Amino acid sequence: MASSDNPYEVAYTRERSARLKAEQLLEDKARELYFKNQKLEESYKQLKQQQALTMQNEKLATLGTLSAGVAHEINNPLAFVLSNLESLPVYKQAFMQLLKFNQGCINDSSMPSQFREELKQLIEREDLEFLSEDMSGLIDDTVEGIQRVKEIVQNLRSFSRTQGSDYVEADLLEGISSTIKLLNAELKNSVTLKLDLDPLPRIVCNPNQLNQVFLNLIMNAKHALADSSKPLIKVTTSVCDEIIHIRIADNGCGMPPEVLKEIFVPFYTTKPIGQGTGMGLAIAYGIVRDHGGKINVRSQVGRGTVFDVELPVSSDMRKTDTDRIGTADV
Ligand SMILES: Nc1ncnc2c1ncn2[C@@H]1O[C@H](COP(=O)(O)OP(=O)(O)OP(=O)(O)O)[C@@H](O)[C@H]1O
Ligand SMILES: [Mg+2]
């Protein structure tokens, strides 16, 4: 009997080939599942990152609205406090004249002695001589304090873009050069500045505001270099795919992840009280966002930091959605 006629063998061969097919199918499905799972994990990771960015953006937008309101409310009382303070030195002059006249009376023997004694006691009791000396210092300190409050309010207003903005066509290299010139005195003895500036296309922007961004970033780099043995700031410009890149890199102290994730938050600073407002990067963030750009940051503790400002060449590319927001890579 031929082997193919053997019903057992036929059944066995059929069963075997079906089993092999099933195994192959299972393997294919398992592989497919594995790749799909990998893709899913990847998408989940991306989604989480996007969600974190969106949340950060929303947080900053809310803070922007809040700051605009607060800045507006503080601005009016601030104006009259400053104006009142300006009158005080004039009033002080009148008070000093009166004090001088009284002292003259005390020393004037032609004046009734009881009057002179009462005047003397009054001046001593109220410590008027000390008050007159202390008043100038108090007024100066108060004016300085109020000036700082004014600066903070101005910073808040630029962060929350309440001021009208003047957009003109400008060459950003000119702005970068003038900012560097402005900082030259500040930098030349303490930091090596390396420039690698590719020509940039002219763009419609608010050059003053963008200069403020460059200034804030370079000043931060300088502060980060305070304890460096070979302090270096590198400013690079380039254009790629219709996006202008302005990179400001330093080999300073760098930032740990917990600092890096807070740096764009208004008033966040690691500097001692009175030395930093913590508004530098919040303002830079607001300005770059208004230009449809974003700021990327990479930093490593002890090695340095790179801030990469991206600005679209064409104003058509300017969007304010979550595509173009700042990120801090740890
Ligand atoms: N290049 C840098 N290297 C290291 N840390 C930095 C750098 N730039 C910013 N930082 C960190 O980010 C924080 C926030 O910076 P931001 O410019 O907003 O405020 P600030 O510099 O502290 O204050 P201000 O700008 O008013 O002087 C800084 O306190 C610092 O900790
Ligand atoms: Mg700063």
Side-chain angles (χ1 to χ4, degrees), residues 20 25 36 136 140 204:
L20 282 177
L25 201 69
K36 275 193 176 153
S136 299
D140 289 351
V204 176

Side-chain angles (χ1 to χ4, degrees), residues 216 220 223 271 280-281:
N216 290 359
N220 278 352
H223 292 146
K271 291 174 187 165
L281 286 178

Side-chain angles (χ1 to χ4, degrees), residues 42-54:
E42 190 66 27
S43 311
Y44 180 65
K45 216 170 116 192
Q46 273 178 6
L47 205 68
K48 269 186 95 170
Q49 268 174 0
Q50 196 61 38
Q51 193 188 22
L53 284 176
T54 313

Side-chain angles (χ1 to χ4, degrees), residues 70-71 73-79 81-82 85 141-157 267 277 279:
V70 173
E73 289 300 318
I74 297 178
N75 215 32
N76 289 342
L78 196 66
V81 169
L82 253 174
L85 271 175
D141 286 355
T142 313
V143 170
E144 202 186 307
I146 290 290
Q147 289 292 0
R148 277 203 66 194
V149 175
K150 198 176 159 194
E151 234 170 76
I152 292 173
V153 170
Q154 267 166 3
N155 283 343
L156 273 174
R157 295 181 93 194
F267 298 116
T277 62
M279 283 301 289

